[in-house]
Amino acid sequence: AQSVSQHNHHVILSEAASLELGCNYSYGGTVNLFWYVQYPGQHLQLLLKYFSGDPLVKGIKGFEAEFIKSKFSFNLRKPSVQWSDTAEYFCAVIRTADSWGKLQFGAGTQVVVTP
Amino acid sequence: NAGVTQTPKFQVLKTGQSMTLQCAQDMNHEYMSWYRQDPGMGLRLIHYSVGAGITDQGEVPNGYNVSRSTTEDFPLRLLSAAPSQTSVYFCASSYDRPGGGVNEQFFGPGTRLTVL
């Protein structure tokens, strides 16, 4: 079955530390990839997306992600986190050949940044 | 643009009651979806629509009904509420990509539902 895995469920780190969140998927074929963020009490917002081209994608708020096709991965990174990055982060994947209803989300990673 | 709006923000139901969660978008998006969010399980798709008059089931459709009579509105009906339907419900919309696949989703603020 097709799946999206986020390996870390909870991450706690200090301000200025670097962040890397893993996302792996099990699909074959061409995929579209997304990272969303959900700040406490808010709805999901798009951080960044990958459709094609340069596998290193820059997003908002200093986030970036690297698509490694051979590893079926789309890991999210930020060199130096701030307290305001405390949030839950979701990876989402869909094959370009699939219909809208096949978009799958990972289980999410709760990130807590301490001052 | 208001984007994606949802009402109500909070709701408490008793087991067996029915209700409708409202969702509307003003971006003329053809795609709309309903998700439920439960701790440790991410977002799970309940129902989705690829245009007015067209709906389909997602991963967890049981106990829910949808209809899409207009492009703007996509209400979710709980037929007979059960405690297992206690969750946060998000509506989302999106639009096609010319090269294939779908664009990012735009989410509403969510409805927190408790079923006693």
Side-chain angles (χ1 to χ4, degrees):
Chain A
Q2 298 171 338
S3 65
V4 179
S5 300
Q6 292 182 242
H7 311 296
N8 308 100
H9 296 295
H10 290 94
V11 172
I12 302 174
L13 59 166
S14 302
E15 277 191 319
S18 64
L19 172 70
E20 180 159 359
L21 302 181
C23 173
N24 285 87
Y25 60 94
S26 63
Y27 311 177
T30 305
V31 291
N32 295 155
L33 302 139
F34 307 87
W35 275 99
Y36 288 88
V37 61
Q38 186 178 30
Y39 298 106
Q42 296 189 26
H43 62 282
L44 277 79
Q45 304 168 45
L46 182 72
L47 268 181
L48 47 79
K49 60 189 176 186
Y50 174 80
F51 293 139
S52 63
D54 189 344
L56 186 61
V57 182
K58 304 275 186 200
I60 61 172
K61 306 188 179 189
F63 285 91
E64 64 178 30
E66 185 176 13
F67 171 49
I68 303 179
K69 188 174 182 179
S70 61
K71 294 186 178 180
F72 299 89
S73 71
F74 190 54
N75 292 354
L76 182 71
R77 298 193 291 251
K78 185 169 184 178
S80 176
V81 295
Q82 301 172 314
W83 176 80
S84 57
D85 293 321
T86 293
E88 191 159 17
Y89 293 81
F90 295 92
C91 178
V93 182
I94 185 170
R95 289 192 308 177
T96 56
D98 283 340
S99 65
W100 159 253
K102 297 296 185 184
L103 178 70
Q104 274 201 291
F105 284 83
T109 299
Q110 183 69 51
V111 174
V112 175
V113 180
T114 60
Chain B
N1 285 352
V4 180
T5 58
Q6 291 183 237
T7 55
K9 289 190 175 179
F10 302 94
Q11 184 70 50
V12 178
L13 293 177
K14 294 181 180 177
T15 297
Q17 286 185 313
S18 62
M19 79 159 295
T20 299
L21 307 185
Q22 301 292 342
C23 173
Q25 53 94 6
D26 62 358
M27 297 173 283
N28 204 31
H29 287 172
E30 58 262 44
Y31 300 133
M32 296 187 75
S33 301
W34 274 103
Y35 293 89
R36 59 177 291 172
Q37 183 182 28
D38 302 291
M41 303 188 75
L43 278 79
R44 292 183 293 168
L45 182 64
I46 304 171
H47 285 286
Y48 67 99
S49 169
V50 298
I54 307 170
T55 63
D56 206 345
Q57 296 181 351
E59 181 185 353
V60 288
N62 292 341
Y64 307 95
N65 251 355
V66 291
S67 60
R68 183 123 179 249
S69 55
T70 67
T71 300
E72 295 76 23
D73 300 300
F74 192 44
L76 178 73
R77 279 181 287 278
L78 278 71
L79 308 172
S80 176
S84 60
Q85 293 178 305
T86 294
S87 186
V88 181
Y89 292 83
F90 288 100
C91 180
S93 71
S94 186
Y95 56 104
D96 240 339
R97 287 190 67 242
V102 296
N103 275 300
E104 72 266 25
Q105 298 193 66
F106 295 79
F107 285 85
T111 295
R112 186 172 294 275
L113 175 69
T114 301
V115 183
L116 303 175

